[in-house]
Amino acid sequence: KTKETPNYEKVKVESLKEMKERIKKQAEEDKKNGKLINISEDNSGDGKEFSKNISWYKISVSGLFGGHSGCEIDKGRANANKVLGRVLSELLTEVNFYLVYISGGKKDNAIPIQAHAVIGISEDDVIASEKVISDFDKVLKNEYIKSDENIRISLDKYDKADDIINDVGNMPGQFIDGDRIYALSDESRDKVITYLMSVPDGIQNMSMSVQGLVETSLNLGILELREDHMFVQHSVRSSVGTRKEYVVKRLTSLAAALGGSVECKGDYPAWEYREDSEVRDKAVKLYEKMYGRKPVVEGIHAGLECGLLAGKISGLDCISIGPDMKDIHTYNERLSISSTKRVYEFLIEFMKG
């Protein structure tokens, strides 16, 4: 796309072949300009063996509980991508290392439960590196003893380059090219770590209208080092539009300072809390009449269609109802059948009125 040609008929669409050629050319330029450096040597034998002076490891963050990035953001659970940034920063204070690859998370609206990085360490620094990882593993276990008791940081050695390719199947070929292994320059590595250490994450503001309700938050859900850039994807939420805009500006400022950029997609308007709601009052009275008890009425920190409708229909009074769900976006996610039945029966009666 081009800013100079608003007429989209004039914008040339890049073919897959052209894209691959552009990426290959960019990779060669990066290698030539020092953004990627060759840190391997060609050795004969079974598989591609590594330079005698460098040992290759995968740092893994695992055992996290995760959850929905809106409904569970207030639980204080660890974000694997942010934790990995801390681990790399901690390691860099003790030893120098090459960063070959980094990846974590699958969805922007789920708190990531695992992340990993492929690094190269001088054999003289292996023992020191192992101690850093072991010590910091204990630190994190203490910090997250209540929310992520199974959190684990590990350092696993690779024997040859083929093992990396087999283990990290989606690693771009730019980093392992034939018998050569390429890593980021120190400058690029430091930018990756700086972003992960500096970018905001989690709760940013609590609601001033509803006690205990998160108003504004963000989640670093996806992290991946790609062919010519580091890609991160955040889910930014807020019930106040201007607060969300402020968070996006903070992300934009940080990215720009590190030579990057920000693109916003899937934006939807905030659904701000209404003190007075005739629809809500009617729903509460009907529920009490049908089941002999008051329903749970609360604000939730999640994106809903109500925000889209309220943003287009001025003065719209609306509510959202649903069955009981627990541990959303985790392996333990479950839905109450009896609650689903009650919601169905309630909706039928409510629509009659």
Side-chain angles (χ1 to χ4, degrees), residues 205-329:
N205 300 99
M206 298 297 292
S207 173
M208 301 295 287
S209 302
V210 182
Q211 186 175 4
L213 175 65
V214 178
E215 175 203 87
T216 305
S217 75
L218 73 164
N219 174 63
L220 202 176
I222 302 174
L223 165 67
E224 184 179 17
L225 193 60
R226 294 185 174 177
E227 287 87 351
D228 57 357
H229 65 282
M230 182 179 78
F231 174 82
V232 295
Q233 190 163 324
H234 300 265
S235 175
V236 181
R237 304 173 185 271
S238 183
S239 56
V240 179
T242 53
R243 293 277 201 185
K244 183 166 63 174
E245 292 173 6
Y246 174 55
V247 172
V248 172
K249 288 181 179 179
R250 290 176 66 187
L251 294 176
T252 303
S253 296
L254 177 59
L258 296 172
S261 61
V262 170
E263 180 181 359
C264 294
K265 292 183 177 181
D267 188 28
Y268 52 88
W271 181 27
E272 298 193 19
Y273 175 75
R274 290 182 57 149
E275 293 284 351
D276 300 314
S277 171
E278 183 180 350
V279 175
R280 184 176 65 231
D281 292 342
K282 287 182 177 180
V284 169
K285 289 180 181 179
L286 176 61
Y287 191 94
E288 287 184 273
K289 179 181 177 181
M290 292 180 64
Y291 301 109
R293 65 179 186 273
K294 290 186 177 181
V296 176
V297 178
E298 60 183 0
I300 65 170
H301 188 56
L304 296 169
E305 291 79 1
C306 296
L308 292 169
L309 296 172
K312 293 180 177 296
I313 306 173
S314 179
L316 178 67
D317 185 7
C318 56
I319 61 172
S320 174
I321 62 173
D324 295 334
M325 296 179 288
K326 296 183 181 298
D327 298 328
I328 304 170
H329 291 352

Side-chain angles (χ1 to χ4, degrees), residues 188-199 254 258:
S188 296
R189 175 204 61 197
D190 292 348
K191 286 183 177 182
V192 170
I193 296 174
T194 297
Y195 186 87
L196 294 177
M197 288 292 289
S198 304
V199 70
L254 177 59
L258 296 172

Side-chain angles (χ1 to χ4, degrees), residues 55 57 59 87 90-97 119 121-137 155:
S55 295
Y57 288 86
I59 298 178
V87 175
E90 196 73 17
L91 183 61
L92 193 59
T93 61
E94 298 296 328
V95 302
N96 191 35
F97 63 85
I119 64 171
I121 311 170
S122 167
E123 290 190 355
D124 295 336
D125 293 327
V126 169
I127 294 177
S129 300
E130 291 174 338
K131 185 177 188 306
V132 170
I133 297 300
S134 177
D135 290 346
F136 202 61
D137 179 65
L155 187 67

Side-chain angles (χ1 to χ4, degrees), residues 48 158 160-171 176 178:
K48 296 181 282 294
Y158 292 110
K160 53 184 183 294
D162 287 342
D163 294 338
I164 301 179
I165 298 173
N166 294 332
D167 185 41
V168 191
N170 62 337
M171 181 191 292
I176 296 184

Side-chain angles (χ1 to χ4, degrees), residues 140-179:
L140 293 171
K141 279 180 166 57
N142 178 64
E143 289 184 1
Y144 293 102
I145 191 170
K146 296 296 184 181
S147 62
D148 297 89
E149 61 181 0
N150 296 320
I151 189 171
R152 180 172 181 264
I153 313 300
S154 60
L155 187 67
D156 300 302
K157 186 177 181 180
Y158 292 110
D159 293 324
K160 53 184 183 294
D162 287 342
D163 294 338
I164 301 179
I165 298 173
N166 294 332
D167 185 41
V168 191
N170 62 337
M171 181 191 292
Q174 177 183 353
F175 300 107
I176 296 184
D177 180 16
D179 56 8

